[in-house]
Amino acid sequence: MRVNRIEPRVRRGLWLWLLLLLTATVVTSTALPGVAARPPSWEPAGRGTPVPPVARTWPVGPVGTRPAVLRGWEPPATVYGRGHRGVDLAAPPGTTVRAIAAGRVSFAGRVAGRGVVSVELTGTGAPPLRTTYEPVRASVRKGDEVAAGGVVGTVEPTGSHCTAACVHWGLLRGETYLDPLSVLPPWLLRRGPSRLLPLHGVPLR
């Protein structure tokens, strides 16, 4: 008699457990419309993430000129996949590194033995766009306000992953990596090194 009283409760428990298991299986195997199968913060190509062209200068090189791009942005297909999450710009050790736009220094220190400076760009939404530069010997501290073109440090002689001397320039919104060149307006992106042209018919004074 005791066994008969327990049996219905056991049976109900088994049915409840099977129902929960089936529900969990359906939820985890059904993708919601518009939701990728990767972590929500990961957008390898930056699609759907608007980037305003707020830059007023390149991070390195003579003001108003374009430095050589040694390696471009190569977004990996997955979070931990191989790729290049930024742009490498030719810059010998000691080269001045500037903020591309006005902002606030969110980090200035060392990461894995390399000097890193990060600047949150003013007026670029929430979360704000954040640029990073490495390897850089910082001349600013966390919390400092910087203007467009303001010096944030100099290129360090060691710690670069480039075959030639360079500075790695990155761009993020939150945890999403973006192409740093996308913040450059067309006039700045196209502008090359300045050249002196001969003068004809211009009086010398």
Side-chain angles (χ1 to χ4, degrees):
M1 294 295 293
R2 186 175 180 181
V3 173
N4 292 337
R5 285 197 302 272
I6 295 175
E7 195 170 283
R9 287 183 295 192
V10 173
R11 188 181 299 114
R12 285 195 298 270
L14 286 174
W15 278 111
L16 180 60
W17 182 82
L18 288 172
L19 180 61
L20 289 174
L21 181 62
L22 179 61
T23 302
T25 302
V26 171
V27 169
T28 55
S29 63
T30 304
L32 295 176
V35 177
R38 55 176 64 96
S41 64
W42 176 251
E43 187 65 57
R47 292 183 295 272
T49 306
V51 178
V54 296
R56 294 296 173 262
T57 183
W58 286 83
V60 294
V63 176
T65 62
R66 183 182 64 235
V69 177
L70 301 180
R71 185 179 179 186
W73 190 59
E74 302 167 10
T78 62
V79 178
Y80 302 108
R82 294 176 62 85
H84 192 228
R85 298 167 176 83
V87 171
D88 292 338
L89 305 175
T95 298
T96 297
V97 180
R98 297 181 296 271
I100 61 166
R104 183 182 62 83
V105 177
S106 57
F107 180 83
R110 306 199 71 77
V111 177
R114 294 190 296 269
V116 178
V117 175
S118 296
V119 179
E120 292 183 349
L121 304 182
T122 303
T124 56
L129 291 174
R130 185 172 78 256
T131 58
T132 61
Y133 315 99
E134 61 175 286
V136 173
R137 180 176 289 111
S139 60
V140 291
R141 295 182 297 181
K142 181 178 180 180
D144 286 352
E145 298 288 337
V146 293
V151 177
V152 297
T154 55
V155 177
E156 290 185 328
T158 58
S160 172
H161 62 275
C162 302
T163 54
C166 79
V167 63
H168 178 82
W169 175 29
L171 178 69
L172 300 94
R173 187 185 291 281
E175 299 302 318
T176 301
Y177 287 90
L178 301 167
D179 183 1
L181 300 183
S182 62
V183 297
L184 296 169
W187 63 268
L188 192 56
L189 188 61
R190 290 193 299 263
R191 181 176 295 180
S194 300
R195 292 180 295 172
L196 295 177
L197 301 176
L199 299 176
H200 297 286
V202 179
L204 299 178
R205 295 183 179 179

